[in-house]
Amino acid sequence: MAALNIYAGKMAMQRIQQDGFQADMFGGFLGASGGPKWFVLAGLDKVIFKEFLDDRSSNIDIMGSSAGAFRAACLAQNDSAAAIERLAINYANTVYSEKPTAAEITTKGYDLLYTMLGDSGIDEILTAKNKNVHFFVQQCHGLVASPNKLAQMTGLSLAAAKNAIARKGIAKHFSRAVFSARCNTELFTDPYHFPTDFYQMTQQNLVPSLMASGSIPVVLEGITDIPGAKPGMYRDGGIIDYHFDLSFETEKLVLYPHFYAKPVPGWFDKGLKRRSCHASSYDNTVMIVPSDEFVHALPYGKIPDRKDFETMPAEQRKKYWMTVIQESDKLADEFLSILHEQNVEHKLLPLQLQRI
């Protein structure tokens, strides 16, 4: 049974078939939103830089939203595997009270981040050689900026209705904010042209911007007035950039470990089957995805998700999540085996996305 599939966009396919699969051909790395879905990739994350991408001699942009931003913060640290391990184990073993408030969940979120960063993580991220980290966040406008849960839910309902008509319809409710270790206002091209602000990541705003990137509306408290950014309320980066529908401005390729073979553009698009990412956004992207057979062999035949907090007692959920984290090492083993055999070009599958 193959544990993983490797998909490539049109340009990436041609490049790899011509030149092989080498660390220096990658100039970007993506981490998607999705909360505990990420556990299925934890093993892969532990080796992907340490055993592969750290061999580059050139710069790489490490970009993420929500859980993907948490991973990006790990992957930029000196010992990326140890940071990923801290994030995975502590996240999987987080337990809340029976009816947790947004304040409780937010406090435990900060605890998780500080554990993951350790004593030197912030300095390592800001000064990482050849690694430039970018956290994707959303600034909220109108009702969705309110700390009041009812107002937020009303605003989210309005945004969802507008998004169902046209993705750009949520632009009056949310604008993109990108916090970067080294600012690059030409990092990507957005086919929807969402308003975007770029900010310098600093000692003072790294943790607040990272926390904001994972601050799910209603579930967690938003982050207000991030130092160095426009005043206002900031929330989950996945609202606009759930799985990303952006063309990254690099002459190199983008590596994207993902839980699904078909990415979803934004948070509100999850239930819209007709809403696809542009194929042009993925022309230079290589996606590494757990196979259906691998997922079906996991406990309960699925990858984890946030609903597990509601449907499983804490001990059952923790055991399940820890099992998935352990099983994810099989993805790492298969990836390293493919690298060792130098036959990636023979494993490639074409990305099936809509040409818009």
Side-chain angles (χ1 to χ4, degrees):
M1 178 190 79
L4 56 81
N5 293 320
I6 304 176
Y7 297 88
K10 184 177 180 181
M11 188 187 85
M13 179 81 76
Q14 294 172 348
R15 178 83 178 274
I16 294 169
Q17 288 176 340
Q18 175 181 318
D19 300 330
F21 193 79
Q22 308 159 29
D24 261 316
M25 65 173 32
F26 290 96
F29 180 94
L30 275 182
S33 297
K37 293 184 180 72
W38 160 69
F39 291 139
V40 76
L41 302 175
L44 195 57
D45 277 354
K46 283 188 284 188
V47 302
I48 210 158
F49 271 83
K50 190 171 183 178
E51 304 291 339
F52 179 54
L53 290 176
D54 279 346
D55 288 335
R56 299 169 350 275
S57 58
S58 54
N59 184 66
I60 188 167
D61 290 297
I62 307 175
M63 303 161 282
S65 62
S66 198
F70 292 10
R71 294 164 60 204
C74 293
L75 297 171
Q77 293 182 52
N78 293 345
D79 190 341
S80 58
I84 287 290
E85 183 79 1
R86 291 195 299 272
L87 175 63
I89 300 305
N90 285 281
Y91 189 175
N93 286 282
T94 298
V95 177
Y96 303 111
S97 60
E98 188 173 342
K99 293 184 178 180
T101 63
E104 178 188 345
I105 298 173
T106 301
T107 296
K108 293 200 173 184
Y110 274 117
D111 290 343
L112 175 64
L113 292 188
Y114 282 116
T115 299
M116 176 266 288
L117 290 166
D119 294 332
S120 59
I122 293 175
D123 287 333
E124 291 173 11
I125 292 166
L126 294 175
T127 61
K129 182 181 179 181
N130 290 342
K131 294 178 181 179
N132 191 12
V133 176
H134 310 270
F135 302 153
F136 283 66
V137 183
Q138 311 307 324
Q139 184 170 13
C140 302
H141 309 286
L143 290 174
V144 291
S146 173
N148 179 273
K149 182 179 291 189
L150 181 59
Q152 281 186 62
M153 293 177 69
T154 301
L156 290 170
S157 296
L158 289 170
K162 291 180 181 179
N163 181 80
I165 298 170
R167 176 159 147 75
K168 186 65 180 293
I170 64 172
K172 289 187 178 180
H173 302 271
F174 303 98
S175 56
R176 180 188 290 116
V178 182
F179 292 82
S180 305
R182 291 182 293 282
C183 263
N184 178 5
T185 58
E186 298 181 353
L187 182 66
F188 55 80
T189 299
D190 179 0
Y192 293 99
H193 305 289
F194 278 102
T196 302
D197 293 303
F198 294 87
Y199 298 114
Q200 180 67 43
M201 195 182 296
T202 66
Q203 291 273 351
Q204 291 72 38
N205 68 21
L206 188 150
V207 171
S209 62
L210 182 54
M211 188 67 213
S213 188
S215 294
I216 304 166
V218 180
V219 178
L220 283 86
E221 296 176 331
I223 309 301
T224 57
D225 301 338
I226 296 176
K230 291 178 180 177
M233 178 68 76
Y234 292 82
R235 300 191 193 277
D236 197 292
I239 295 169
I240 293 176
D241 299 302
Y242 190 61
H243 295 163
F244 298 99
D245 191 2
L246 302 170
S247 295
F248 292 98
E249 297 300 317
T250 174
E251 294 179 357
K252 299 192 174 188
L253 305 184
V254 176
L255 191 60
Y256 193 5
H258 198 12
F259 1 99
Y260 303 130
K262 290 189 177 180
V264 176
W267 193 48
F268 293 105
D269 299 320
K270 291 184 286 183
L272 302 177
K273 293 184 179 180
R274 70 182 186 280
R275 187 70 53 82
S276 172
C277 291
H278 293 68
S280 57
S281 295
Y282 284 78
D283 273 344
N284 67 340
T285 300
V286 176
M287 292 181 68
I288 305 175
V289 183
S291 67
D292 289 343
E293 293 81 6
F294 177 81
V295 172
H296 291 155
L298 294 174
Y300 312 107
K302 71 177 191 69
I303 62 176
D305 58 65
R306 285 196 302 113
K307 292 181 181 178
D308 297 335
F309 278 113
E310 303 168 8
T311 60
M312 297 181 185
E315 292 307 312
Q316 178 187 356
R317 172 185 57 78
K318 286 160 58 177
K319 181 179 179 182
Y320 162 41
W321 286 5
M322 288 299 298
T323 300
V324 172
I325 291 169
Q326 292 162 7
E327 288 293 301
S328 74
D329 288 338
K330 293 177 181 178
L331 300 183
D333 292 342
E334 186 162 320
F335 177 69
L336 293 176
S337 176
I338 292 171
L339 287 180
H340 179 72
E341 294 168 6
Q342 297 184 348
N343 65 347
V344 174
E345 58 269 29
H346 302 298
K347 301 282 187 179
L348 292 180
L349 300 169
L351 268 171
Q352 301 293 331
L353 295 175
Q354 184 178 354
R355 285 276 166 192
I356 303 177

